[in-house]
Amino acid sequence: MHKNLDMRDDTLDDPEVKALLEDHYELSVAMSPVGKAHVFSFDRLKQDDITFWSFWRAGVLRGVGALQRLSSTMGELKSMHVAQASRRQGIGAAIVHCLEDQARRLGFTQLYLETGANAYFAPARRLYNNCGFFPCGPFGSYKDDRDSVYMHKEIRS
């Protein structure tokens, strides 16, 4: 496991995970222009096209992330969030790499994501770029929008 992270699935009922997801949701909505946050609600993360994980180290929740199946070979990184106390420790990159490994196991060869275009989301854009994601056009059901940045990465098995 990357960065000594314990990757757990089936943790959506864990109170710590719920609290971190609530923080993620509230921050995403607050930092995005009105109506432009593409963050998934807690209930949306429970749908069949989503696979969700939480990431722990030394018994402490460090972050969360999910993959949405867009097709048999395409996935979208969703709900990627690192706990505030765990930032700037390489946890974000480790989570992205764990999610890429899972995407490969799910048969994906293309991985996409959407993030905000404003300054608040600049660290996320840098992280994704450093992990090999590059800007692309809208994908899936997204429309061209100056408030969103779309990114893509080819992944190999």
Side-chain angles (χ1 to χ4, degrees):
M1 188 56 48
H2 302 277
K3 281 279 190 184
N4 300 316
L5 289 177
D6 175 22
M7 183 177 188
R8 302 178 189 172
D9 58 6
D10 252 351
T11 56
L12 282 167
D13 292 325
D14 185 292
E16 288 181 71
V17 171
K18 282 184 176 180
L20 185 60
L21 283 170
E22 286 172 10
D23 288 347
H24 171 64
Y25 185 88
E26 290 171 9
L27 272 172
S28 295
V29 169
M31 301 312 286
S32 299
V34 175
K36 300 286 183 112
H38 297 285
V39 63
F40 278 176
S41 68
F42 184 78
D43 288 336
R44 178 64 180 92
L45 290 170
K46 292 183 174 185
Q47 300 302 308
D48 290 341
D49 62 335
I50 302 292
T51 307
F52 175 85
W53 296 273
S54 58
F55 299 86
W56 305 73
R57 185 170 64 199
V60 176
L61 178 62
R62 304 301 175 157
V64 293
L67 292 170
Q68 179 183 20
R69 180 175 291 280
L70 301 176
S71 76
S72 62
T73 59
M74 293 171 41
E76 180 180 0
L77 196 152
K78 295 295 293 185
S79 299
M80 167 67 196
H81 188 80
V82 175
Q84 186 68 37
S86 295
R87 293 185 182 169
R88 298 190 181 279
Q89 300 174 27
I91 301 290
I95 291 173
V96 170
H97 294 303
C98 287
L99 293 174
E100 284 179 25
D101 289 346
Q102 292 303 314
R104 283 184 198 89
R105 287 187 186 98
L106 292 169
F108 299 157
T109 58
Q110 308 290 319
L111 199 52
Y112 293 85
L113 64 89
E114 180 277 337
T115 191
N118 66 35
Y120 173 77
F121 296 98
R125 292 191 304 271
R126 275 192 305 277
L127 167 67
Y128 298 133
N129 188 256
N130 289 340
C131 289
F133 285 82
F134 295 98
C136 66
F139 59 90
S141 62
Y142 291 107
K143 307 286 186 239
D144 196 22
D145 185 340
R146 65 183 174 91
D147 294 313
S148 288
V149 172
Y150 309 101
M151 300 182 88
H152 168 258
K153 180 177 184 176
E154 288 188 34
I155 55 175
R156 305 271 185 236
S157 34

